[in-house]
PDB file of all heavy atoms in Angstrom:
ATOM      1  N   ILE A   1      -3.344  12.053  -3.130  1.00 95.00           N
ATOM      2  CA  ILE A   1      -4.403  12.915  -2.609  1.00 95.00           C
ATOM      3  C   ILE A   1      -4.293  14.301  -3.230  1.00 95.00           C
ATOM      4  O   ILE A   1      -5.291  14.894  -3.648  1.00 95.00           O
ATOM      5  CB  ILE A   1      -4.321  12.982  -1.071  1.00 95.00           C
ATOM      6  CG1 ILE A   1      -4.584  11.590  -0.483  1.00 95.00           C
ATOM      7  CG2 ILE A   1      -5.325  13.995  -0.521  1.00 95.00           C
ATOM      8  CD1 ILE A   1      -4.422  11.499   1.017  1.00 95.00           C
ATOM      9  N   GLY A   2      -3.073  14.810  -3.320  1.00 92.00           N
ATOM     10  CA  GLY A   2      -2.881  16.103  -3.967  1.00 92.00           C
ATOM     11  C   GLY A   2      -3.271  16.082  -5.429  1.00 92.00           C
ATOM     12  O   GLY A   2      -3.862  17.035  -5.946  1.00 92.00           O
ATOM     13  N   GLU A   3      -2.959  14.980  -6.103  1.00 90.00           N
ATOM     14  CA  GLU A   3      -3.285  14.852  -7.522  1.00 90.00           C
ATOM     15  C   GLU A   3      -4.796  14.870  -7.767  1.00 90.00           C
ATOM     16  O   GLU A   3      -5.252  15.306  -8.829  1.00 90.00           O
ATOM     17  CB  GLU A   3      -2.692  13.563  -8.074  1.00 90.00           C
ATOM     18  CG  GLU A   3      -1.172  13.552  -8.127  1.00 90.00           C
ATOM     19  CD  GLU A   3      -0.610  12.185  -8.462  1.00 90.00           C
ATOM     20  OE1 GLU A   3      -1.410  11.292  -8.816  1.00 90.00           O
ATOM     21  OE2 GLU A   3       0.620  12.006  -8.375  1.00 90.00           O
ATOM     22  N   HIS A   4      -5.570  14.383  -6.810  1.00 92.00           N
ATOM     23  CA  HIS A   4      -7.026  14.294  -6.978  1.00 92.00           C
ATOM     24  C   HIS A   4      -7.770  15.473  -6.350  1.00 92.00           C
ATOM     25  O   HIS A   4      -9.000  15.454  -6.275  1.00 92.00           O
ATOM     26  CB  HIS A   4      -7.548  12.989  -6.347  1.00 92.00           C
ATOM     27  CG  HIS A   4      -7.194  11.755  -7.101  1.00 92.00           C
ATOM     28  ND1 HIS A   4      -5.952  11.166  -7.016  1.00 92.00           N
ATOM     29  CD2 HIS A   4      -7.903  10.997  -7.984  1.00 92.00           C
ATOM     30  CE1 HIS A   4      -5.922  10.087  -7.783  1.00 92.00           C
ATOM     31  NE2 HIS A   4      -7.091   9.962  -8.380  1.00 92.00           N
ATOM     32  N   HIS A   5      -7.050  16.498  -5.905  1.00 89.00           N
ATOM     33  CA  HIS A   5      -7.651  17.556  -5.100  1.00 89.00           C
ATOM     34  C   HIS A   5      -8.955  18.101  -5.682  1.00 89.00           C
ATOM     35  O   HIS A   5     -10.003  18.067  -5.035  1.00 89.00           O
ATOM     36  CB  HIS A   5      -6.660  18.707  -4.900  1.00 89.00           C
ATOM     37  CG  HIS A   5      -7.223  19.844  -4.108  1.00 89.00           C
ATOM     38  ND1 HIS A   5      -8.029  20.823  -4.670  1.00 89.00           N
ATOM     39  CD2 HIS A   5      -7.138  20.159  -2.792  1.00 89.00           C
ATOM     40  CE1 HIS A   5      -8.406  21.676  -3.743  1.00 89.00           C
ATOM     41  NE2 HIS A   5      -7.872  21.303  -2.596  1.00 89.00           N
ATOM     42  N   GLY A   6      -8.910  18.629  -6.892  1.00 84.00           N
ATOM     43  CA  GLY A   6     -10.099  19.256  -7.456  1.00 84.00           C
ATOM     44  C   GLY A   6     -11.258  18.296  -7.619  1.00 84.00           C
ATOM     45  O   GLY A   6     -12.416  18.656  -7.401  1.00 84.00           O
ATOM     46  N   LEU A   7     -10.958  17.048  -7.984  1.00 89.00           N
ATOM     47  CA  LEU A   7     -12.006  16.055  -8.208  1.00 89.00           C
ATOM     48  C   LEU A   7     -12.628  15.568  -6.907  1.00 89.00           C
ATOM     49  O   LEU A   7     -13.731  15.019  -6.915  1.00 89.00           O
ATOM     50  CB  LEU A   7     -11.436  14.865  -8.983  1.00 89.00           C
ATOM     51  CG  LEU A   7     -10.840  15.209 -10.356  1.00 89.00           C
ATOM     52  CD1 LEU A   7     -10.245  13.963 -10.998  1.00 89.00           C
ATOM     53  CD2 LEU A   7     -11.897  15.822 -11.261  1.00 89.00           C
ATOM     54  N   LEU A   8     -11.943  15.778  -5.788  1.00 93.00           N
ATOM     55  CA  LEU A   8     -12.484  15.381  -4.481  1.00 93.00           C
ATOM     56  C   LEU A   8     -13.488  16.385  -3.946  1.00 93.00           C
ATOM     57  O   LEU A   8     -14.156  16.140  -2.948  1.00 93.00           O
ATOM     58  CB  LEU A   8     -11.343  15.181  -3.483  1.00 93.00           C
ATOM     59  CG  LEU A   8     -10.476  13.943  -3.750  1.00 93.00           C
ATOM     60  CD1 LEU A   8      -9.206  13.979  -2.908  1.00 93.00           C
ATOM     61  CD2 LEU A   8     -11.255  12.669  -3.456  1.00 93.00           C
ATOM     62  N   GLN A   9     -13.578  17.531  -4.605  1.00 91.00           N
ATOM     63  CA  GLN A   9     -14.641  18.500  -4.341  1.00 91.00           C
ATOM     64  C   GLN A   9     -14.778  18.876  -2.865  1.00 91.00           C
ATOM     65  O   GLN A   9     -15.860  18.803  -2.284  1.00 91.00           O
ATOM     66  CB  GLN A   9     -15.972  17.977  -4.881  1.00 91.00           C
ATOM     67  CG  GLN A   9     -15.927  17.715  -6.386  1.00 91.00           C
ATOM     68  CD  GLN A   9     -17.229  17.215  -6.943  1.00 91.00           C
ATOM     69  OE1 GLN A   9     -18.258  17.877  -6.807  1.00 91.00           O
ATOM     70  NE2 GLN A   9     -17.202  16.060  -7.574  1.00 91.00           N
ATOM     71  N   GLY A  10     -13.681  19.265  -2.258  1.00 92.00           N
ATOM     72  CA  GLY A  10     -13.736  19.793  -0.903  1.00 92.00           C
ATOM     73  C   GLY A  10     -13.528  18.785   0.204  1.00 92.00           C
ATOM     74  O   GLY A  10     -13.504  19.161   1.377  1.00 92.00           O
ATOM     75  N   LEU A  11     -13.373  17.503  -0.120  1.00 95.00           N
ATOM     76  CA  LEU A  11     -13.203  16.496   0.933  1.00 95.00           C
ATOM     77  C   LEU A  11     -11.907  16.707   1.713  1.00 95.00           C
ATOM     78  O   LEU A  11     -11.852  16.452   2.923  1.00 95.00           O
ATOM     79  CB  LEU A  11     -13.226  15.088   0.334  1.00 95.00           C
ATOM     80  CG  LEU A  11     -14.598  14.566  -0.104  1.00 95.00           C
ATOM     81  CD1 LEU A  11     -14.447  13.240  -0.816  1.00 95.00           C
ATOM     82  CD2 LEU A  11     -15.527  14.434   1.099  1.00 95.00           C
ATOM     83  N   ILE A  12     -10.861  17.151   1.038  1.00 95.00           N
ATOM     84  CA  ILE A  12      -9.597  17.399   1.735  1.00 95.00           C
ATOM     85  C   ILE A  12      -9.788  18.497   2.776  1.00 95.00           C
ATOM     86  O   ILE A  12      -9.361  18.371   3.931  1.00 95.00           O
ATOM     87  CB  ILE A  12      -8.496  17.799   0.736  1.00 95.00           C
ATOM     88  CG1 ILE A  12      -8.229  16.646  -0.233  1.00 95.00           C
ATOM     89  CG2 ILE A  12      -7.209  18.175   1.467  1.00 95.00           C
ATOM     90  CD1 ILE A  12      -7.246  16.988  -1.341  1.00 95.00           C
ATOM     91  N   GLU A  13     -10.445  19.587   2.361  1.00 92.00           N
ATOM     92  CA  GLU A  13     -10.695  20.687   3.287  1.00 92.00           C
ATOM     93  C   GLU A  13     -11.601  20.252   4.434  1.00 92.00           C
ATOM     94  O   GLU A  13     -11.360  20.579   5.599  1.00 92.00           O
ATOM     95  CB  GLU A  13     -11.327  21.870   2.536  1.00 92.00           C
ATOM     96  CG  GLU A  13     -10.376  22.647   1.653  1.00 92.00           C
ATOM     97  CD  GLU A  13      -9.987  21.918   0.374  1.00 92.00           C
ATOM     98  OE1 GLU A  13     -10.657  20.907   0.034  1.00 92.00           O
ATOM     99  OE2 GLU A  13      -9.033  22.340  -0.274  1.00 92.00           O
ATOM    100  N   THR A  14     -12.632  19.505   4.109  1.00 93.00           N
ATOM    101  CA  THR A  14     -13.609  19.095   5.121  1.00 93.00           C
ATOM    102  C   THR A  14     -13.035  18.097   6.117  1.00 93.00           C
ATOM    103  O   THR A  14     -13.295  18.180   7.318  1.00 93.00           O
ATOM    104  CB  THR A  14     -14.838  18.467   4.431  1.00 93.00           C
ATOM    105  OG1 THR A  14     -15.432  19.432   3.558  1.00 93.00           O
ATOM    106  CG2 THR A  14     -15.872  18.028   5.457  1.00 93.00           C
ATOM    107  N   CYS A  15     -12.234  17.157   5.616  1.00 95.00           N
ATOM    108  CA  CYS A  15     -11.819  16.024   6.455  1.00 95.00           C
ATOM    109  C   CYS A  15     -10.500  16.222   7.195  1.00 95.00           C
ATOM    110  O   CYS A  15     -10.325  15.667   8.285  1.00 95.00           O
ATOM    111  CB  CYS A  15     -11.740  14.761   5.604  1.00 95.00           C
ATOM    112  SG  CYS A  15     -13.330  14.208   4.938  1.00 95.00           S
ATOM    113  N   ILE A  16      -9.556  16.981   6.625  1.00 94.00           N
ATOM    114  CA  ILE A  16      -8.239  17.003   7.282  1.00 94.00           C
ATOM    115  C   ILE A  16      -7.650  18.392   7.496  1.00 94.00           C
ATOM    116  O   ILE A  16      -6.630  18.524   8.174  1.00 94.00           O
ATOM    117  CB  ILE A  16      -7.208  16.149   6.507  1.00 94.00           C
ATOM    118  CG1 ILE A  16      -6.892  16.783   5.156  1.00 94.00           C
ATOM    119  CG2 ILE A  16      -7.699  14.727   6.345  1.00 94.00           C
ATOM    120  CD1 ILE A  16      -5.739  16.087   4.436  1.00 94.00           C
ATOM    121  N   ARG A  17      -8.244  19.426   6.942  1.00 92.00           N
ATOM    122  CA  ARG A  17      -7.620  20.761   7.049  1.00 92.00           C
ATOM    123  C   ARG A  17      -7.428  21.179   8.496  1.00 92.00           C
ATOM    124  O   ARG A  17      -6.367  21.704   8.865  1.00 92.00           O
ATOM    125  CB  ARG A  17      -8.462  21.804   6.314  1.00 92.00           C
ATOM    126  CG  ARG A  17      -7.878  23.227   6.385  1.00 92.00           C
ATOM    127  CD  ARG A  17      -8.673  24.198   5.548  1.00 92.00           C
ATOM    128  NE  ARG A  17     -10.073  24.202   5.925  1.00 92.00           N
ATOM    129  CZ  ARG A  17     -11.011  24.925   5.296  1.00 92.00           C
ATOM    130  NH1 ARG A  17     -10.664  25.651   4.248  1.00 92.00           N
ATOM    131  NH2 ARG A  17     -12.263  24.890   5.691  1.00 92.00           N
ATOM    132  N   ASN A  18      -8.424  20.963   9.340  1.00 91.00           N
ATOM    133  CA  ASN A  18      -8.337  21.400  10.733  1.00 91.00           C
ATOM    134  C   ASN A  18      -7.553  20.430  11.606  1.00 91.00           C
ATOM    135  O   ASN A  18      -6.799  20.855  12.491  1.00 91.00           O
ATOM    136  CB  ASN A  18      -9.738  21.600  11.305  1.00 91.00           C
ATOM    137  CG  ASN A  18     -10.479  22.751  10.645  1.00 91.00           C
ATOM    138  OD1 ASN A  18      -9.857  23.701  10.161  1.00 91.00           O
ATOM    139  ND2 ASN A  18     -11.806  22.672  10.602  1.00 91.00           N
ATOM    140  N   ASP A  19      -7.713  19.138  11.377  1.00 93.00           N
ATOM    141  CA  ASP A  19      -7.070  18.139  12.241  1.00 93.00           C
ATOM    142  C   ASP A  19      -5.620  17.858  11.860  1.00 93.00           C
ATOM    143  O   ASP A  19      -4.830  17.440  12.712  1.00 93.00           O
ATOM    144  CB  ASP A  19      -7.870  16.827  12.197  1.00 93.00           C
ATOM    145  CG  ASP A  19      -9.244  16.971  12.828  1.00 93.00           C
ATOM    146  OD1 ASP A  19      -9.408  17.856  13.688  1.00 93.00           O
ATOM    147  OD2 ASP A  19     -10.158  16.198  12.463  1.00 93.00           O
ATOM    148  N   TYR A  20      -5.287  18.074  10.598  1.00 94.00           N
ATOM    149  CA  TYR A  20      -3.920  17.796  10.134  1.00 94.00           C
ATOM    150  C   TYR A  20      -3.405  18.984   9.321  1.00 94.00           C
ATOM    151  O   TYR A  20      -3.152  18.869   8.115  1.00 94.00           O
ATOM    152  CB  TYR A  20      -3.891  16.533   9.271  1.00 94.00           C
ATOM    153  CG  TYR A  20      -4.468  15.305   9.922  1.00 94.00           C
ATOM    154  CD1 TYR A  20      -5.814  14.965   9.769  1.00 94.00           C
ATOM    155  CD2 TYR A  20      -3.677  14.462  10.701  1.00 94.00           C
ATOM    156  CE1 TYR A  20      -6.350  13.831  10.355  1.00 94.00           C
ATOM    157  CE2 TYR A  20      -4.198  13.319  11.288  1.00 94.00           C
ATOM    158  CZ  TYR A  20      -5.539  13.016  11.116  1.00 94.00           C
ATOM    159  OH  TYR A  20      -6.081  11.881  11.695  1.00 94.00           O
ATOM    160  N   PRO A  21      -3.254  20.156   9.957  1.00 94.00           N
ATOM    161  CA  PRO A  21      -2.912  21.375   9.202  1.00 94.00           C
ATOM    162  C   PRO A  21      -1.596  21.292   8.440  1.00 94.00           C
ATOM    163  O   PRO A  21      -1.499  21.797   7.306  1.00 94.00           O
ATOM    164  CB  PRO A  21      -2.861  22.465  10.283  1.00 94.00           C
ATOM    165  CG  PRO A  21      -2.662  21.724  11.568  1.00 94.00           C
ATOM    166  CD  PRO A  21      -3.370  20.418  11.390  1.00 94.00           C
ATOM    167  N   GLU A  22      -0.574  20.676   9.020  1.00 95.00           N
ATOM    168  CA  GLU A  22       0.713  20.592   8.330  1.00 95.00           C
ATOM    169  C   GLU A  22       0.622  19.687   7.104  1.00 95.00           C
ATOM    170  O   GLU A  22       1.144  20.012   6.033  1.00 95.00           O
ATOM    171  CB  GLU A  22       1.792  20.088   9.287  1.00 95.00           C
ATOM    172  CG  GLU A  22       2.124  21.064  10.411  1.00 95.00           C
ATOM    173  CD  GLU A  22       3.247  20.556  11.284  1.00 95.00           C
ATOM    174  OE1 GLU A  22       3.810  19.480  10.974  1.00 95.00           O
ATOM    175  OE2 GLU A  22       3.567  21.228  12.277  1.00 95.00           O
ATOM    176  N   ASP A  23      -0.039  18.556   7.268  1.00 95.00           N
ATOM    177  CA  ASP A  23      -0.226  17.647   6.133  1.00 95.00           C
ATOM    178  C   ASP A  23      -1.083  18.307   5.057  1.00 95.00           C
ATOM    179  O   ASP A  23      -0.837  18.127   3.862  1.00 95.00           O
ATOM    180  CB  ASP A  23      -0.887  16.348   6.589  1.00 95.00           C
ATOM    181  CG  ASP A  23       0.028  15.514   7.471  1.00 95.00           C
ATOM    182  OD1 ASP A  23       1.174  15.281   7.076  1.00 95.00           O
ATOM    183  OD2 ASP A  23      -0.417  15.101   8.556  1.00 95.00           O
ATOM    184  N   TYR A  24      -2.069  19.061   5.495  1.00 93.00           N
ATOM    185  CA  TYR A  24      -2.946  19.753   4.547  1.00 93.00           C
ATOM    186  C   TYR A  24      -2.134  20.704   3.670  1.00 93.00           C
ATOM    187  O   TYR A  24      -2.307  20.743   2.452  1.00 93.00           O
ATOM    188  CB  TYR A  24      -4.036  20.514   5.299  1.00 93.00           C
ATOM    189  CG  TYR A  24      -4.872  21.405   4.402  1.00 93.00           C
ATOM    190  CD1 TYR A  24      -5.807  20.862   3.524  1.00 93.00           C
ATOM    191  CD2 TYR A  24      -4.714  22.790   4.425  1.00 93.00           C
ATOM    192  CE1 TYR A  24      -6.561  21.680   2.694  1.00 93.00           C
ATOM    193  CE2 TYR A  24      -5.456  23.605   3.609  1.00 93.00           C
ATOM    194  CZ  TYR A  24      -6.374  23.049   2.741  1.00 93.00           C
ATOM    195  OH  TYR A  24      -7.106  23.856   1.913  1.00 93.00           O
ATOM    196  N   GLN A  25      -1.240  21.466   4.288  1.00 94.00           N
ATOM    197  CA  GLN A  25      -0.420  22.406   3.522  1.00 94.00           C
ATOM    198  C   GLN A  25       0.492  21.673   2.544  1.00 94.00           C
ATOM    199  O   GLN A  25       0.720  22.135   1.419  1.00 94.00           O
ATOM    200  CB  GLN A  25       0.404  23.279   4.475  1.00 94.00           C
ATOM    201  CG  GLN A  25      -0.420  24.283   5.268  1.00 94.00           C
ATOM    202  CD  GLN A  25      -1.220  25.230   4.380  1.00 94.00           C
ATOM    203  OE1 GLN A  25      -0.749  25.639   3.312  1.00 94.00           O
ATOM    204  NE2 GLN A  25      -2.421  25.572   4.805  1.00 94.00           N
TER     205      GLN A  25
END
């Protein structure tokens, strides 16, 4: 997931940043 970050175009931020803050970091 980290490797694909830029190509996911914000999906990481949209889908898990708020619900899984530690995993997001």
Side-chain angles (χ1 to χ4, degrees):
I1 296 175
E3 292 171 9
H4 288 79
H5 179 278
L7 301 177
L8 289 168
Q9 301 181 57
L11 286 174
I12 297 175
E13 286 74 14
T14 300
C15 295
I16 68 172
R17 180 175 56 183
N18 294 332
D19 293 335
Y20 305 92
E22 293 183 4
D23 292 309
Y24 172 73
Q25 290 302 323

